[in-house]
């Protein structure tokens, strides 16, 4: 009799992909994630009996557990093929218990990539469940449950219902809070820059040289008087070229992605949140239907801190680069990258499972988001194995008396890896240098004029998704699997809000952080949290028992909790309202931000005397093209569908001052970029991914007509409703009668549609009744014949 085997994975997509690579003797089923966990209704940990967890089958998954049990009973071997990390190991351990499998029948397999060779090789070499990995996950789960379930009730009583605390999220919130305090306490310092416009007579070209210093030492002028003194010294002095240095500068490619760097780069380049990035990466890992290939896993496992690449993948990359780009684009030696100290190095770096699957080849098989993320991963991996980019760099020193000016320029000499990929920057600023004329040492230059400019030092910028994840990683807080959930959680809990791409602490976040700093300093201490992560790593390595970690942690935590409850007895911490610049149109007070069931909104602080509310307004970069006012992001609700929509308008759109009132409104997103021709704010189409900014000023030569601003899609019902609502709102003041007429027309149209639907439904209902009657008659006839 043929052997029967059961393979259990976590998701149906993964099951579909793996099932294609295995023979008929294998049945592949999905567990749909966890099947057993700590109960939600209680702590679920017996602290008095050495932190014994009370795991329960997850409610609603009873039928799936029965189905897997039956399949396991009919199988000779059960391969537990959950994800290759601590959590995946724990899911396999729980499955073994729930399905009542012995050690001989339960076999553990993992796939770093879901390709035919890897799947078949892994099935051929199964192993036992790694209890050290399971215990490390248990320790993390129990630690987080203790902190969450014992601290959260305190926050509910002393601050607000519905709050939560967590080991990693509390530290992340504190980091955002501390950055906000740095910004508030920052004192700007004045400084000046001085540029000399110099003419090279032989080439008749003018170029810019920046002031460097005096007597060979760097000097930064800090006042108008110091700038005037430099100008006075050099205005009538001779400008002469002191030195010209030419060199080839090489730039090396970045290593392939880890979880952290992928989330950072996807945030910067694709405007994807960490949560969305990981969801799309999971789809690419588990498998996508590719024309002519079937379901294929396109990337390696996406939760990793390793920079290691397999020898097979390195050889494939070399062959591809030599074939497409030529030998000049491959380095003298194969590139191998070292992971940072403390990395677990359990899996390879994130790379394409088959480098021959180019993004262009797969474009028709992928969604827009899948394509953009796959292209990012594929390009970064391939570039990491290519030759350096070479730049022709020129640096010129120019003397004028005792003062020195400098000019530099660089141009790409050999593209190298940049033919495929260039890393984005957090500040989005890339210094562009103009080419210099052919200068020689000793040559004199003619001064055309000076450009002096006053500046002030800027405070540190707020965190973005990308920079917060980088800071968490640098401080050793969390692990690859926790970065995205941590950022999402602090936003969902409204401890932090996202304004544009920047994260800002809320008054609620500040109050909770202050409470945690005062009463539970260890929980929000970055060094303490990083040390806990290292202890979890030692559990994984088998060097320490997982319950020892819990015992050591809980002693201090319990005493702090009891002390806090005593000190806060009878105390209720008030969260101050966050005041805005928006004015209540009914009573004139400044509106404040409130939170409700459906998120944050603006409300009048004069409640109950004044009950005015409106959707939250967010200030956007740029200026109104009509009046120069601030641009605001607003939300409205469709009268037809009840769904929300977003639009952008001038701050004076609701002004009660008719002289200031401005009717500018657009669906396009304002950007921080100004048009290089007319200087007005540029806009971009709404939507995910990169969108090229354009100028909307009809009088500008850079003006881009509306029909050329992007792919024109058929308007959805929501978009039509939003436009109709906006039109109604703008016409409401001038022509209320028309608005009423429009509503009546809409109502009539809706009534006609309903009547048509009912008419169409009648014959369908009649035919269904007739069919049912026929079936009943047939059954009666069959029974009579039997009798």
């Amino acid at each position: 009799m043929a052997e029967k085997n059961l393979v259990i994975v976590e998701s149906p997509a993964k099951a579909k992909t793996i099932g294609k690579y295995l023979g008929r003797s294998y049945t592949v089923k999905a567990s749909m994630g966890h099947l057993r966990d700590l109960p939600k209704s209680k702590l679920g940990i017996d602290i008095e009996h050495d932190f014994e967890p009370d795991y329960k089958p997850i409610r609603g998954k009873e039928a799936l557990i029965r189905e897997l049990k039956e399949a396991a009973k009919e199988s000779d071997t059960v391969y537990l093929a959950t994800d290759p990390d601590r959590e995946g190991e724990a899911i396999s351990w729980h499955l073994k218990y729930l399905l009542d499998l012995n050690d001989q029948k339960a076999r553990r397999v993992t796939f770093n990539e879901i390709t035919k060779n890897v799947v078949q090789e892994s099935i051929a070499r199964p192993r036992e469940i790694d209890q050290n990995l399971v215990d490390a996950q248990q320790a993390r789960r129990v630690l987080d449950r203790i902190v969450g379930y014992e601290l959260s009730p305190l926050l509910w009583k002393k601050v607000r219902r519905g709050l939560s605390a967590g080991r990693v999220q509390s530290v992340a919130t504190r980091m955002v809070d501390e950055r906000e305090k740095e910004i508030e306490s920052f004192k700007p310092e004045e400084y000046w820059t001085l540029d000399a416009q110099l003419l090279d007579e032989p080439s008749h070209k003018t170029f810019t040289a920046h002031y460097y210093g005096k007597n060979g030492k760097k000097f930064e002028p800090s006042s108008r008087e110091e700038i005037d003194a430099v100008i006075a010294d050099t205005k009538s002095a001779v400008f002469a070229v002191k030195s010209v240095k030419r060199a080839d500068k090489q730039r090396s490619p970045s290593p392939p992605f880890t979880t952290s760097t992928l989330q950072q780069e996807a945030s910067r380049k694709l405007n994807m949140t960490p949560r969305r990035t990981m969801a799309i990466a999971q789809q690419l890992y588990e498998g996508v239907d590719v024309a002519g290939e079937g379901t294929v896993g396109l990337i390696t496992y996406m939760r990793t801190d390793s920079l290691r690449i397999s020898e097979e993948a390195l050889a494939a990359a070399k062959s591809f680069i030599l074939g497409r780009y030529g030998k000049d684009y491959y380095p003298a030696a194969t590139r191998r990258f070292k992971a940072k100290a403390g990395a677990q190095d359990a899996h390879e770096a994130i790379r394409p499972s088959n480098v021959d699957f180019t993004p262009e080849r797969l474009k028709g098989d992928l969604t827009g988001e899948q394509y953009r993320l796959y292209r990012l991963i594929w390009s970064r991996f391939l570039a990491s194995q290519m030759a350096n980019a070479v730049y022709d760099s020129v640096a010129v020193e120019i003397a004028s008396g005792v003062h020195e000016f400098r000019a530099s320029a660089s141009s790409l000499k050999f593209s190298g890896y940049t033919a495929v990929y260039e890393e984005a920057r957090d500040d989005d600023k890339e210094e562009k240098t103009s080419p210099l004329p052919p200068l020689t040492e000793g040559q004199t230059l003619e001064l055309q004029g000076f450009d002096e400019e006053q500046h002030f030092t800027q405070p540190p910028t707020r965190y973005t998704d990308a920079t917060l994840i980088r800071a968490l990683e640098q401080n050793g807080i969390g692990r690859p699997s926790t970065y995205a959930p941590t950022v999402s959680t602090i936003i969902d809990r409204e401890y932090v809000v996202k304004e544009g791409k920047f994260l800002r602490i809320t008054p609620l976040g500040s109050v909770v952080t202050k409470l945690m700093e005062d009463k539970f300093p260890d929980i929000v201490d970055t060094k303490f949290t990083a040390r806990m992560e290292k202890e979890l790593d030692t559990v994984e390595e088998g060097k320490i028992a997982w319950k020892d970690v819990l015992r050591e942690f809980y002693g201090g935590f319990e005493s702090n909790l009891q002390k806090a409850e005593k000190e806060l007895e009878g105390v209720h911490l008030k969260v101050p309202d966050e005041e805005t610049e928006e004015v209540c149109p009914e009573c004139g007070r400044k509106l404040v931000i409130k939170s409700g069931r459906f998120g944050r909104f603006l409300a009048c602080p004069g409640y109950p005397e004044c009950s005015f509310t409106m959707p939250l307004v967010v200030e956007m970069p740029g200026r109104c093209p009509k009046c120069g006012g601030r641009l605001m992001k607003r939300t409205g609700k469709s009268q037809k569908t009840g769904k929300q929509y977003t639009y952008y308008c001038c701050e004076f759109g609701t002004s009660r001052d008719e002289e200031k009132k401005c009717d500018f409104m657009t669906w396009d997103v304002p950007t921080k970029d100004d048009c290089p021709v007319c200087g007005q704010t540029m806009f971009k189409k709404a939507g995910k991914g990169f969108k090229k900014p354009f100028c909307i000023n009809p009088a500008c030569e850079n003006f881009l007509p509306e029909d050329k601003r992007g792919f024109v899609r058929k308007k959805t019902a929501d978009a039509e409703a939003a436009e109709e609502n906006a039109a109604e709102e703008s016409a409401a003041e001038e022509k209320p009668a028309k608005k009423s007429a429009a509503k009546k027309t809409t109502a009539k149209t809706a009534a006609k549609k309903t009547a048509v639907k009912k008419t169409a439904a009648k014959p369908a209902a009649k035919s269904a009744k007739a069919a049912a009657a026929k079936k009943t008659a047939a059954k009666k006839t069959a029974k009579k014949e039997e009798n």
Side-chain angles (χ1 to χ4, degrees), residues 256-291:
F257 283 128
T258 61
T259 302
S260 166
T261 54
L262 174 63
Q263 290 172 2
Q264 292 173 49
E265 194 75 344
S267 175
R268 286 187 291 249
K269 278 195 167 183
L270 308 180
N271 199 28
M272 276 188 187
T273 64
R275 178 189 283 175
R276 191 63 185 154
T277 298
M278 296 311 290
I280 300 300
Q282 184 87 32
Q283 295 168 14
L284 296 174
Y285 165 70
E286 291 181 345
V288 175
D289 288 331
V290 175

Side-chain angles (χ1 to χ4, degrees), residues 702-716:
N702 261 9
F703 171 68
L704 191 67
E706 194 167 351
D707 60 340
K708 295 182 180 178
R709 292 176 186 173
F711 182 74
V712 180
R713 297 180 184 274
K714 186 179 178 181
K715 289 180 182 176
T716 63

Side-chain angles (χ1 to χ4, degrees), residues 387-432:
N388 291 345
V390 181
Y391 293 83
D392 184 9
S393 177
V394 183
V396 180
E397 295 180 357
I398 299 162
S400 179
V402 296
H403 297 280
E404 187 178 308
F405 290 77
R406 292 186 175 182
S408 62
S410 65
S411 58
L412 187 64
K413 189 175 182 179
F414 173 67
S415 60
Y417 76 90
T418 62
V420 176
Y421 178 87
E422 280 194 83
E423 189 173 14
R425 293 159 55 108
D426 285 320
D427 55 11
D428 292 329
K429 291 178 182 176
E430 189 73 44
E431 285 190 23
K432 296 179 181 178

Side-chain angles (χ1 to χ4, degrees), residues 369-501:
E369 287 181 311
Q370 288 174 342
Y371 169 72
R372 289 192 293 272
L373 191 63
Y374 180 74
R375 183 177 61 185
L376 196 69
I377 293 168
W378 185 91
S379 302
R380 173 89 163 218
F381 167 68
L382 194 70
S384 74
Q385 296 304 309
M386 294 178 72
N388 291 345
V390 181
Y391 293 83
D392 184 9
S393 177
V394 183
V396 180
E397 295 180 357
I398 299 162
S400 179
V402 296
H403 297 280
E404 187 178 308
F405 290 77
R406 292 186 175 182
S408 62
S410 65
S411 58
L412 187 64
K413 189 175 182 179
F414 173 67
S415 60
Y417 76 90
T418 62
V420 176
Y421 178 87
E422 280 194 83
E423 189 173 14
R425 293 159 55 108
D426 285 320
D427 55 11
D428 292 329
K429 291 178 182 176
E430 189 73 44
E431 285 190 23
K432 296 179 181 178
T433 56
S434 301
L436 296 174
L439 304 173
T440 56
E441 289 186 17
Q443 175 185 350
T444 58
L445 302 165
E446 184 179 324
L447 176 65
Q448 299 292 294
F450 289 109
D451 294 326
E452 63 272 17
E453 191 172 353
Q454 182 187 34
H455 305 272
F456 291 92
T457 53
Q458 296 298 306
T461 56
R462 290 189 175 113
Y463 285 113
T464 62
D465 287 346
T467 56
L468 181 58
I469 287 171
R470 185 172 65 191
L472 290 171
E473 184 184 35
Q474 288 172 344
N475 285 283
I477 299 164
R479 286 296 180 261
S481 61
T482 66
Y483 298 139
T486 298
V487 176
S488 298
T489 298
I490 63 176
I491 294 173
D492 292 344
R493 297 293 181 192
E494 294 185 0
Y495 296 151
V496 168
V497 291
K498 200 168 183 180
E499 294 180 346
K501 66 176 184 177

Side-chain angles (χ1 to χ4, degrees), residues 153-225:
L154 181 69
L155 296 179
W156 281 43
K157 287 188 288 185
K158 303 303 175 186
V159 184
R160 182 189 294 173
R161 288 183 63 83
L163 300 183
S164 72
R167 240 177 8 95
V168 177
Q169 76 176 55
S170 297
V171 179
T173 305
R174 181 185 181 180
M175 291 169 68
V176 178
D177 185 48
E178 287 180 341
R179 178 58 59 89
E180 198 68 28
K181 288 174 181 173
E182 286 179 49
I183 294 169
E184 289 171 0
S185 62
F186 181 81
K187 294 181 179 178
E189 295 180 2
E190 181 184 10
Y191 71 97
W192 287 72
T193 55
L194 179 64
D195 292 341
Q197 302 301 324
L198 302 172
L199 173 66
D200 171 49
E201 290 186 352
S203 64
H204 303 290
K205 289 184 178 178
T206 301
F207 66 96
T208 301
H210 310 290
Y211 181 68
Y212 174 76
K214 186 177 180 181
N215 294 321
K217 294 181 180 179
K218 187 171 179 62
F219 173 66
E220 294 181 351
S222 59
S223 65
R224 177 84 218 193
E225 291 73 24

Side-chain angles (χ1 to χ4, degrees), residues 535-548:
E535 288 191 15
L536 293 176
D537 291 344
T538 59
V539 172
E540 180 178 329
E541 294 162 8
K543 295 177 180 177
I544 185 173
W546 69 282
K547 288 189 177 180
D548 288 346

Side-chain angles (χ1 to χ4, degrees), residues 62-357:
E62 295 85 0
L64 178 57
I65 293 171
R66 285 196 299 272
E67 180 188 329
L68 292 176
K69 268 188 177 179
E70 289 172 8
K73 280 181 183 178
E74 295 171 1
S75 303
D76 298 301
T77 305
V78 178
Y79 294 94
L80 304 172
T82 50
D83 284 351
D85 56 14
R86 289 176 186 169
E87 190 172 10
E89 203 75 17
I91 292 174
S92 287
W93 181 71
H94 287 301
L95 279 167
K96 182 184 175 184
Y97 176 87
L98 286 170
L99 306 183
D100 195 21
L101 304 174
N102 58 39
D103 291 341
Q104 288 71 38
K105 191 170 184 177
R107 310 302 293 157
R108 175 78 168 117
V109 293
T110 57
F111 313 121
N112 184 53
E113 59 185 83
I114 303 179
T115 57
K116 186 174 182 179
N117 288 341
V118 170
V119 168
Q120 292 179 347
E121 287 173 10
S122 297
I123 291 288
R125 293 198 301 270
R127 60 172 173 82
E128 292 183 359
I129 289 173
D130 188 332
Q131 193 61 41
N132 290 334
L133 280 174
V134 174
D135 289 345
Q137 180 61 24
Q138 284 197 96
R140 177 184 288 281
R141 186 77 184 95
V142 172
L143 271 172
D144 291 344
R145 173 56 70 98
I146 289 171
V147 173
Y149 272 52
E150 297 206 353
L151 267 187
S152 298
L154 181 69
L155 296 179
W156 281 43
K157 287 188 288 185
K158 303 303 175 186
V159 184
R160 182 189 294 173
R161 288 183 63 83
L163 300 183
S164 72
R167 240 177 8 95
V168 177
Q169 76 176 55
S170 297
V171 179
T173 305
R174 181 185 181 180
M175 291 169 68
V176 178
D177 185 48
E178 287 180 341
R179 178 58 59 89
E180 198 68 28
K181 288 174 181 173
E182 286 179 49
I183 294 169
E184 289 171 0
S185 62
F186 181 81
K187 294 181 179 178
E189 295 180 2
E190 181 184 10
Y191 71 97
W192 287 72
T193 55
L194 179 64
D195 292 341
Q197 302 301 324
L198 302 172
L199 173 66
D200 171 49
E201 290 186 352
S203 64
H204 303 290
K205 289 184 178 178
T206 301
F207 66 96
T208 301
H210 310 290
Y211 181 68
Y212 174 76
K214 186 177 180 181
N215 294 321
K217 294 181 180 179
K218 187 171 179 62
F219 173 66
E220 294 181 351
S222 59
S223 65
R224 177 84 218 193
E225 291 73 24
E226 290 178 342
I227 280 287
D228 289 340
V230 174
I231 292 174
D233 288 348
T234 57
K235 199 167 187 179
S236 57
V238 174
F239 281 79
V241 178
K242 185 179 177 181
S243 68
V244 179
K245 294 178 182 177
R246 292 185 177 276
D248 284 347
K249 288 189 176 179
Q250 299 202 8
R251 187 185 294 175
S252 301
S254 300
F257 283 128
T258 61
T259 302
S260 166
T261 54
L262 174 63
Q263 290 172 2
Q264 292 173 49
E265 194 75 344
S267 175
R268 286 187 291 249
K269 278 195 167 183
L270 308 180
N271 199 28
M272 276 188 187
T273 64
R275 178 189 283 175
R276 191 63 185 154
T277 298
M278 296 311 290
I280 300 300
Q282 184 87 32
Q283 295 168 14
L284 296 174
Y285 165 70
E286 291 181 345
V288 175
D289 288 331
V290 175
E293 300 286 341
T295 308
V296 180
L298 296 178
I299 65 170
T300 53
Y301 192 58
M302 62 285 159
R303 293 184 181 93
T304 178
D305 56 9
S306 174
L307 296 176
R308 177 169 45 84
I309 296 293
S310 70
E311 292 302 315
E312 293 82 1
L314 292 174
K318 179 179 180 179
S319 176
F320 186 92
I321 293 165
L322 293 174
R324 173 174 282 200
Y325 297 98
K327 63 180 182 179
D328 290 341
Y329 282 82
Y330 193 78
T334 300
R335 295 188 189 277
R336 291 177 174 82
F337 299 91
K338 288 185 179 180
K340 66 180 179 64
Q344 292 176 293
D345 199 32
H347 315 291
E348 286 186 60
I350 304 170
R351 63 166 175 83
S353 54
N354 185 345
V355 75
D356 291 322
F357 284 150

